[in-house]
Amino acid sequence: MELAKIEKLLDAYFEGNTTLAEEAMLRDYFAQDEIAPQVAMYQPLFVGLVAAKEEVSDRELKLPKNQFKIKNWWYAAAASVVLAIGVAGFVFSEPKLTQEEQEALAAFEKTKEAMQFMSKNFNKGAEELTYISTFTETKNKILK
């Protein structure tokens, strides 16, 4: 294989842009005895990859038993109960007003009613003023 093609494949390999077929071509090239001295430093990498691919472990893996599902269920249930109690406490709690605050609130309501009554009467008076202004304009037209 020509050296320029190998160098191009190496550049693409280290950038992560090679296909599986191109990687196989690189492994085959570096498995040969005759390699160009410019790329000889990469031979241990590819030889090591081939050796690592062939390794098999005889060790038996023991996975932990799945005991966490029960604990996770209990945590979720406990969190839901705490949340429900907190929301219920917030929703059903009535504000406790002192005697002074209750009296102030009652005085505010009476003042509000009085202001509404005055506003209603002022509005009636303002309507009467429009009639008077119309009468004055008409009188001025006639007397001229």
Side-chain angles (χ1 to χ4, degrees):
M1 202 178 283
E2 64 183 64
L3 182 62
K5 185 175 181 181
I6 293 297
E7 287 178 341
K8 182 179 174 185
L9 282 176
L10 280 171
D11 288 339
Y13 177 80
F14 289 121
E15 290 178 8
N17 296 329
T18 55
T19 63
L20 293 176
E22 292 170 337
E23 290 175 15
M25 288 171 48
L26 283 172
R27 282 193 303 272
D28 292 341
Y29 176 78
F30 285 107
Q32 297 175 4
D33 292 333
E34 294 180 17
I35 297 174
Q38 295 93 335
V39 293
M41 62 186 149
Y42 300 116
Q43 185 178 17
L45 172 70
F46 287 97
V47 171
L49 288 175
V50 171
K53 186 177 179 181
E54 295 174 0
E55 282 185 12
V56 177
S57 175
D58 295 338
R59 185 174 169 191
E60 183 178 327
L61 294 176
K62 292 184 181 180
L63 298 175
K65 293 181 182 178
N66 198 357
Q67 298 174 357
F68 298 107
K69 284 187 179 180
I70 294 173
K71 287 184 180 179
N72 288 341
W73 182 81
W74 280 105
Y75 290 146
S80 299
V81 168
V82 169
L83 183 65
I85 290 171
V87 169
F90 180 73
V91 169
F92 294 118
S93 67
E94 293 182 23
K96 305 291 182 193
L97 299 176
T98 63
Q99 183 66 26
E100 187 176 299
E101 290 172 334
Q102 290 175 353
E103 290 173 2
L105 189 58
F108 172 73
E109 291 297 326
K110 286 183 181 180
T111 305
K112 189 167 105 175
E113 288 175 12
M115 291 292 187
Q116 287 175 346
F117 180 72
M118 280 181 25
S119 172
K120 187 176 176 183
N121 287 333
F122 278 135
N123 288 338
K124 283 182 184 177
E127 288 174 7
E128 297 296 326
L129 288 176
T130 58
Y131 294 131
I132 291 174
S133 65
T134 306
F135 176 74
T136 305
E137 289 176 10
T138 308
K139 179 188 73 146
N140 289 338
K141 287 180 185 177
I142 293 173
L143 292 178
K144 280 188 180 181

